[in-house]
Amino acid sequence: MIAGTTTGVFPVRDYDLTTTLTCGQAFRWERCEGGWTGVIGRRWVWLHADQFSITAETAEPVADWGWLADYLQLELDLSAVLRTFPDEAPMRAAVAACRGLRLLRQDPWECVASFILSSTKQICQIRQIVSLLCERYGDPLPVLPTHAPAHAFPSPARLARATEAELRACKMGFRAPYLLGTARTIASGHLDLTRLQPLSVEAARSELMKLPGVGRKIADCVLLFAYGFQPAFPLDVWVMKALRELYFPRRRVSVQRLHRFAGAHFGPNAGYAQQYLFHYARVHKEPGS
DNA sequence: TACCAGGAGAGCG
DNA sequence: CGCTCTCATGGT
């Protein structure tokens, strides 16, 4: 006898589901009937939230909701994280603008593959590419009646069997050989993403940067969004611009110096602070999504 | 139209 | 080293 239910209700505080799912850390969530549909691992799920709880509906009975609690980081005390941010005007403004923003805990392979596709792409385009990739190479998943078909994120082995031309047809352009090379490296067992968690952040970063198409920035995204390494501080064009304007006005500052500043200035949850600065910069300077 | 987008890697001096 | 150029594609 299998105990299980297709509906889970989880009490939360300070959790803005919409901001969390759309702030540029994950690329697969779609608006649906006042909530969001997406895929976590090999499970399709429909999420909706009110002020006090998040409700999840799945297509198949769930006996243990740990996978969802882990992905959404439901047990994290956000206020404790925010208290570690430096007490200063820029961070107060960012926190005020991003109330309830959380960091997810994503699958490392999906995260590294997605961010390889992210380089010099707008978030809406990354979403399109990832969507095409899943549609064409991901296994179909059961969904609730009346919902659109859903697919798992394609495995490294599946993408390793594709050709560069086939991947380019998913509109990823020059990123195709990077994704293919990384898929083949993972599929061959030459690099095992499941063995990075115990490493130091520096060691884990240098492992990730062995993958083609993965430099410092993408490695830091994976360290932060998939493994939860808080010293990881992805420095993209938005965050660099924000740091320069907020902390180094009218001065020329190298990327290396920005990294050193971030590591020293933002405290034990620097990665979290980074995502607040990223989203703050985008919502205040970008008219569209 | 010109410029930009959650960059990385190769080639240069 | 650090700098510049290229890579593909689509949005603004």
Side-chain angles (χ1 to χ4, degrees):
Chain A
M1 186 174 77
I2 303 295
T5 170
T6 58
T7 302
V9 182
F10 308 92
V12 290
R13 284 187 305 173
D14 307 322
Y15 204 122
D16 186 329
L17 187 64
T18 293
T19 300
T20 297
L21 298 180
T22 62
C23 71
Q25 54 180 327
F27 304 102
R28 294 252 276 151
W29 293 95
E30 306 270 358
R31 274 189 197 281
C32 180
E33 297 175 24
W36 298 90
T37 59
V39 172
I40 301 171
R42 297 189 61 84
R43 287 189 179 88
W44 173 91
V45 62
W46 175 44
L47 301 176
H48 51 102
D50 60 32
Q51 189 180 350
F52 304 107
S53 66
I54 292 175
T55 301
E57 316 249 7
T58 56
E60 296 183 319
V62 173
D64 180 356
W65 291 90
W67 55 276
L68 183 66
D70 183 53
Y71 181 87
L72 294 175
Q73 292 286 286
L74 293 174
E75 73 289 355
L76 181 89
D77 182 351
L78 181 62
S79 63
V81 170
L82 300 184
R83 280 197 296 274
T84 69
F85 289 178
D87 186 19
E88 55 175 19
M91 279 312 303
R92 277 197 295 270
V95 168
C98 309
R99 225 163 259 295
L101 169 61
R102 305 291 188 121
L103 288 185
L104 301 168
R105 189 63 60 91
Q106 303 181 56
D107 173 70
W109 158 244
E110 175 170 346
C111 192
V112 73
S114 298
F115 276 95
I116 283 172
L117 302 175
S118 76
S119 69
T120 53
K121 276 292 181 194
Q122 298 182 139
I123 288 173
C124 64
Q125 296 179 317
I126 302 166
R127 295 169 49 80
Q128 289 177 2
I129 298 169
V130 171
S131 173
L132 273 175
L133 197 65
C134 293
E135 223 172 274
R136 295 181 182 179
Y137 299 100
D139 296 332
L141 298 174
V143 303
L144 283 176
T146 77
H147 285 276
H151 302 264
F153 194 88
S155 68
R158 180 64 191 91
L159 293 188
R161 276 185 275 119
T163 66
E164 182 182 324
E166 288 169 349
L167 294 184
R168 279 180 186 266
C170 297
K171 303 181 186 298
M172 66 184 71
F174 62 83
R175 305 155 193 85
Y178 294 154
L179 180 60
L180 189 54
T182 288
R184 288 178 175 168
T185 303
I186 304 294
S188 71
H190 195 259
L191 178 57
D192 187 349
L193 293 175
T194 68
R195 294 188 177 173
L196 302 186
Q197 190 72 73
L199 302 183
S200 68
V201 64
E202 294 85 3
R205 178 185 293 126
S206 71
E207 286 300 301
L208 288 169
M209 289 177 67
K210 291 176 181 172
L211 296 167
V214 179
R216 171 70 187 258
K217 189 269 171 181
I218 290 175
D220 277 355
C221 285
V222 178
L223 290 171
L224 185 59
F225 301 143
Y227 296 97
F229 282 103
Q230 284 299 317
F233 197 95
L235 265 180
D236 76 313
V237 290
W238 288 99
V239 175
M240 275 194 282
K241 192 168 66 171
L243 290 184
R244 285 178 169 137
E245 288 175 0
L246 293 171
Y247 299 99
F248 303 93
R250 298 179 301 282
R251 279 203 275 166
R252 283 186 40 215
V253 187
S254 69
V255 177
Q256 185 184 346
R257 177 155 181 200
L258 289 178
H259 266 125
R260 278 191 279 111
F261 169 76
H265 183 73
F266 291 104
N269 294 292
Y272 237 101
Q274 175 277 157
Q275 196 62 16
Y276 273 72
L277 291 170
F278 174 75
H279 193 247
Y280 174 58
R282 292 187 71 243
V283 297
H284 281 266
K285 308 217 170 168
E286 194 182 23
S289 102

